[in-house]
Amino acid sequence: MQAFFQEAVIPHFNFWIYVVIMMIGLWSVIAKNNLVKKLIGLSIFQTAILLLYVSLGVKEDATIPVVESGVLAAYKETSATTDKKAAPAIHPDRYANPTPHVLMLTAIVVGVATLGVALALTQMIYKDFGTLEEDEVLQKIKALHEDV
Amino acid sequence: MIVTFDIIILVFLVLAAIIALSVKDLLAAAMVFGIYGFLICLLWAEMGAVDVAFTEATVGAGVSTVLIVATVLNTRRRSTD
Amino acid sequence: MKAKIFASIAVVITGAILLYAVIDFPDFGDPGSPPNAGVPGGAPAASRYYIQNTYRDSKVPNLVTAVLADYRGYDTMFETVVILTAGISIFAILRVVRRDDDPSAPEPVASDRTIDGDHHRIIVGITCRIAAPLIQIFALYVVAHGHYSPGGGFQGGVMLGASFILLALSGSLRETLARFSERDYTRLAFVGILIYAGLGLLPMWVGRNFLDYGALSGLFMTKGEEMARSHSMLGVEIGVAITVMSIMFAMFANLSTRGRLQGGL
């Protein structure tokens, strides 16, 4: 049991919590009755996925992905004296991985845009049916079909 | 990357997610969702993703909360679950 | 109740599978994991190239901005188009254009609140009026300084949009729309995309690839191709910021008034 914790749980503890957050979101999307609650759950589900991606780019003892001015000065010296094939002064393990940051940055802004579209659809549902509860909306749709 | 800070924020994150989904007042749910967005922003700053944290601070804690509040005030504030 | 039982079963099964899969993930914070260092025995990860060569290629210290606007320019451009599409969708779903001969159209709201008319709003309204220009100046700094510090087009654009949202929330939507009307923000949303795509198309004029900013050194009158890349990134970020600002305010204006652009919250 202790070996399992040492090898599986402790190096991945935050991934386990992301799975818990993701499942909270999934549960609310299926089980919650209110449409706004469903949308909040969907956003929580989305943030769990974003957290997973950003966590993959984290490096121990690394700094933020902005190159400091001191390092840049050293880099300029080496690139001025030697040819471009020489070993660069900017070491990749010193900076966090920028690729997942870029992907998730755009995903967040697109996420709020799609949340806006979903909220607009929610308002139209409220305008047509007078309620935000899923079961009442389904009942009213059924009644409409029976009338025809 | 500071592991203690990480664990504290993650615990608050799970709590905020559960509270946002269990409150019956939708305006309160929107506010707790804003808190959730800000905790996520802290977590990203802690992981070294400063640009993502900046975006989340403006988008997740700011605009998306305002959009949900705008919808809730234009529809109904109470929820059955 | 049935939905809750079904949801619990689905969540338990999915969660168990995911928790089992997570065991095979690389350790948290491992610099030698495949996303950070590449597959063992294979090519190194693309992120290593980005970190080592960004300053050589474009003289930009902030790696995220360089990857966002230069190396992955296509991605960012079409993400911006997605935001524009979302704005158009909200317009198509919600916007109610009232015609005088249409009896089903909603009545205009009689009491359009202003700062002068509503005494409860005086302190909040005046404070936010003073704060909004400061927020806008800071947002412009965020857009322009995105090369050297955290920031860029998306963050600055959202902040610019948020300053207009603040004005509309604290004062009245009518006064804000008088300064930043529907016609303005609809046009600006497209202008932003056109700035981005136009900067991408310019290198094709001289026979280079789409979004290959190095060809623009003549236009920006820079010595080498590196500074031309840096300047083009600024242009691209400005385009992104204009589109994001317009769409954020358009979404709020439509959602808060149910598409009538009258009254407000």
Side-chain angles (χ1 to χ4, degrees):
Chain A
M1 193 64 199
Q2 197 163 4
F4 175 75
F5 264 89
Q6 291 274 323
E7 287 166 17
V9 178
I10 291 173
H12 305 115
F13 68 96
N14 53 349
F15 294 120
W16 286 57
I17 299 177
Y18 301 160
V19 172
V20 171
I21 294 172
M22 193 189 277
M23 288 306 114
I24 291 171
L26 182 64
W27 190 84
S28 69
V29 170
I30 302 172
K32 285 285 172 184
N33 203 16
N34 189 288
L35 293 174
V36 177
K37 279 283 176 68
K38 271 182 198 279
L39 289 178
I40 292 176
L42 205 61
S43 295
I44 288 171
F45 189 96
Q46 184 198 15
T47 50
I49 295 165
L50 304 180
L51 279 170
L52 178 73
Y53 270 83
V54 174
S55 302
L56 290 175
V58 174
K59 295 172 187 168
E60 222 162 327
D61 301 327
T63 179
I64 61 171
V66 180
V67 185
E68 310 99 311
S69 52
V71 177
L72 289 182
Y75 179 79
K76 275 177 199 160
E77 279 173 22
T78 54
S79 60
T81 51
T82 56
D83 61 327
K84 286 197 173 177
K85 296 276 179 188
I90 301 173
H91 196 268
D93 287 346
R94 282 205 62 235
Y95 302 97
N97 190 345
T99 323
H101 297 184
V102 172
L103 300 175
M104 295 312 113
L105 196 155
T106 49
I108 291 171
V109 184
V110 170
V112 76
T114 48
L115 178 71
V117 176
L119 289 170
L121 287 171
T122 312
Q123 289 197 6
M124 288 311 281
I125 289 171
Y126 185 78
K127 192 180 160 196
D128 286 353
F129 296 100
T131 176
L132 284 182
E133 307 296 322
E134 192 192 13
D135 50 355
E136 293 173 23
V137 172
L138 289 176
Q139 272 173 9
K140 288 191 178 174
I141 291 174
K142 205 182 257 180
L144 278 179
H145 282 291
E146 279 165 3
D147 286 349
V148 176
Chain B
M1 184 187 135
I2 308 149
V3 175
T4 337
F5 199 37
D6 209 35
I7 294 170
I8 293 170
I9 297 174
L10 281 170
V11 169
F12 277 111
L13 201 62
V14 175
L15 281 178
I18 293 172
I19 293 170
L21 291 170
S22 56
V23 179
K24 297 213 168 156
D25 187 350
L26 286 178
L27 200 61
M31 286 304 157
V32 180
F33 185 62
I35 295 170
Y36 177 86
F38 197 75
L39 285 171
I40 292 257
C41 160
L42 275 181
L43 194 58
W44 272 324
E46 182 264 343
M47 283 182 192
V50 274
D51 282 86
V52 190
F54 202 160
T55 318
E56 180 69 34
T58 51
V59 168
V63 174
S64 67
T65 310
V66 171
L67 293 183
I68 294 177
V69 168
T71 302
V72 169
L73 292 186
N74 272 324
T75 54
R76 191 174 292 169
R77 198 171 148 179
R78 301 297 299 178
S79 144
T80 54
D81 58 349
Chain C
M1 201 59 219
K2 219 162 107 188
K4 280 188 180 158
I5 295 167
F6 173 72
S8 307
I9 295 169
V11 159
V12 167
I13 293 172
T14 321
I17 293 170
L18 284 174
L19 285 177
Y20 179 68
V22 153
I23 295 174
D24 290 334
F25 265 54
D27 293 356
F28 181 55
D30 179 16
S33 66
N36 292 334
V39 189
S47 64
R48 286 180 90 85
Y49 177 87
Y50 295 150
I51 294 170
Q52 283 180 333
N53 297 310
T54 296
Y55 192 73
R56 195 196 69 197
D57 287 346
S58 57
K59 300 256 187 281
V60 172
N62 188 351
L63 305 170
V64 175
T65 304
V67 178
L68 182 87
D70 193 353
Y71 294 116
R72 299 189 64 90
Y74 270 115
D75 186 19
T76 312
M77 186 173 128
F78 287 105
E79 301 268 15
T80 320
V81 174
V82 169
I83 294 167
L84 178 68
T85 315
I88 297 171
S89 317
I90 289 185
F91 183 86
I93 293 167
L94 273 182
R95 185 83 176 93
V96 182
V97 182
R98 189 181 135 81
R99 280 166 299 183
D100 292 334
D101 56 337
D102 187 3
S104 67
E107 290 294 313
V109 181
S111 63
D112 197 357
R113 285 172 299 194
T114 59
I115 290 175
D116 304 324
D118 192 342
H119 289 280
H120 299 291
R121 292 193 163 207
I122 285 178
I123 294 172
V124 177
I126 298 289
T127 313
C128 291
R129 256 193 198 182
I130 295 168
L134 300 176
I135 294 172
Q136 287 168 353
I137 289 172
F138 181 61
L140 290 177
Y141 163 78
V142 167
V143 174
H145 213 254
H147 296 51
Y148 302 101
S149 63
F154 285 105
Q155 293 94 325
V158 175
M159 284 176 74
L160 279 171
S163 71
F164 287 110
I165 292 176
L166 183 70
L167 278 179
L169 267 178
S170 62
S172 78
L173 186 67
R174 197 183 61 191
E175 287 184 6
T176 315
L177 280 173
R179 289 170 176 79
F180 192 41
S181 67
E182 186 176 28
R183 172 181 291 198
D184 290 345
Y185 65 64
T186 315
R187 284 183 183 171
L188 278 178
F190 286 92
V191 165
I193 295 280
L194 287 178
I195 289 174
Y196 200 138
L199 264 173
L201 282 171
L202 276 180
M204 296 180 82
W205 189 266
V206 292
R208 300 277 286 266
N209 285 327
F210 185 61
L211 290 173
D212 187 359
Y213 309 130
L216 298 178
S217 54
L219 177 72
F220 292 113
M221 290 182 281
T222 54
K223 260 188 191 166
E225 297 202 342
E226 295 88 2
M227 283 317 286
R229 286 211 178 86
S230 179
H231 291 334
S232 307
M233 273 182 228
L234 179 61
V236 161
E237 300 269 16
I238 290 171
V240 170
I242 291 173
T243 301
V244 172
M245 166 188 78
S246 315
I247 296 300
M248 287 299 152
F249 182 62
M251 287 201 305
F252 172 76
N254 277 305
L255 280 173
S256 64
T257 59
R258 278 169 280 175
R260 282 174 296 177
L261 298 187
Q262 278 168 340
L265 282 181

